[in-house]
Amino acid sequence: DVKVTQSSRYLVKRTGEKVFLECVQDMDHENMFWYRQDPGLGLRLIYFSYDVKMKEKGDIPEGYSVSREKKERFSLILESASTNQTSMYLCASRVTTGPEAFFGQGTRLTVV
Amino acid sequence: AQTVTQSQPEMSVQEAETVTLSCTYDTSESDYYLFWYKQPPSRQMILVIRQEAYKQQNATENRFSVNFQKAAKSFSLKISDSQLGDAAMYFCAYRLGGGADGLTFGKGTHLIIQP
């Protein structure tokens, strides 16, 4: 089974802190994604990566950056966390030639 | 830009009955995929069913089937013989065929199953 693992289920951080959300997949997928989920808004794409060290902005990249130093790992970085970044964050991966994306279990981030 | 619209924030159905969740989308592309994902309280996104745009036949997975109307850009999900375990958020999603693009999601429909 494909496994996408997010490092934390719940995270509480203070305003202004630098926050790292980590995601690891074990199926050698080329493409990895970070989404943000808010009630009434669905999931929105923040950033994605189609190869090591490659990244592309999604629909809502402001306030975020990403890092992909190894194929299996994709990190989402909040350089200076703000309360409006309190949300659920979901990581996903898939092969380029495959239709299906596989999701991690999500990290619920609260910024206080 | 592609958009996905789910017009039903919440639906309720009696156990064992049939329910249909609506989804419309907007795209100018001809090669794309459509998906329905289920998200139970555990938060794990589970793929329910997918449809390739080039296929005329509607996808079916056990009790789940879709009504794909390409010209109308409509992609509804029918759940037959509803079970308590079907209670969840359901998201309709679109992705361009090929490449590394991500999914565009609707806002979701909260499905309640009444025993």
Side-chain angles (χ1 to χ4, degrees):
Chain A
D1 277 355
V2 174
K3 191 141 189 192
V4 180
T5 304
Q6 294 183 230
S7 53
S8 304
R9 292 267 295 173
Y10 299 94
L11 213 51
V12 179
K13 296 291 181 181
R14 295 197 178 276
T15 302
E17 273 193 80
K18 189 168 185 176
V19 181
F20 292 86
L21 302 184
E22 307 285 349
C23 176
V24 176
Q25 50 94 4
D26 66 356
M27 285 300 291
D28 204 36
H29 287 172
E30 301 93 351
N31 306 307
M32 297 188 74
F33 308 85
W34 275 107
Y35 294 89
R36 171 177 171 157
Q37 182 179 5
D38 299 289
L41 295 179
L43 284 78
R44 294 175 290 167
L45 182 64
I46 304 172
Y47 266 98
F48 66 99
S49 168
Y50 54 90
D51 201 351
V52 175
K53 298 191 186 295
M54 305 306 289
K55 61 184 179 184
E56 292 284 345
K57 292 180 180 179
D59 299 317
I60 53 164
E62 296 78 17
Y64 304 94
S65 63
V66 290
S67 173
R68 194 166 180 203
E69 296 297 317
K70 292 185 177 182
K71 191 174 185 180
E72 67 270 20
R73 186 180 297 271
F74 191 37
S75 303
L76 180 69
I77 304 160
L78 288 67
E79 293 288 344
S80 177
S82 63
T83 55
N84 63 12
Q85 293 178 309
T86 291
S87 187
M88 172 82 76
Y89 292 88
L90 287 142
C91 176
S93 74
R94 70 172 175 87
V95 293
T96 300
T97 53
E100 183 179 353
F102 297 87
F103 284 82
Q105 282 199 288
T107 296
R108 190 177 294 281
L109 172 68
T110 302
V111 182
V112 298
Chain B
Q2 291 79 19
T3 58
V4 177
T5 302
Q6 294 179 249
S7 57
Q8 306 151 317
E10 188 171 277
M11 293 280 287
S12 182
V13 64
Q14 292 288 131
E15 194 176 2
E17 297 198 341
T18 295
V19 63
T20 299
L21 308 185
S22 301
C23 173
T24 59
Y25 60 97
D26 189 23
T27 184
S28 57
E29 304 291 338
S30 59
D31 178 21
Y32 55 88
Y33 295 96
L34 294 164
F35 306 87
W36 279 98
Y37 278 90
K38 170 185 177 181
Q39 188 182 44
S42 68
R43 304 186 331 217
Q44 182 67 54
M45 293 287 280
I46 302 164
L47 178 65
V48 175
I49 200 165
R50 77 163 186 264
Q51 175 82 41
E52 289 87 343
Y54 67 85
K55 288 187 177 178
Q56 293 189 336
Q57 187 171 6
N58 289 327
T60 299
E61 289 286 343
N62 301 312
R63 297 182 296 108
F64 299 87
S65 61
V66 297
N67 183 4
F68 174 45
Q69 300 289 327
K70 192 171 183 178
K73 296 180 182 173
S74 170
F75 183 61
S76 61
L77 175 69
K78 185 171 85 171
I79 307 173
S80 303
D81 185 26
S82 298
Q83 300 176 0
L84 293 177
D86 295 333
M89 283 294 291
Y90 285 81
F91 292 97
C92 180
Y94 163 100
R95 181 174 73 78
L96 199 59
D101 292 65
L103 294 159
T104 299
F105 285 88
K107 294 182 179 180
T109 297
H110 181 212
L111 179 64
I112 298 166
I113 310 294
Q114 304 208 354

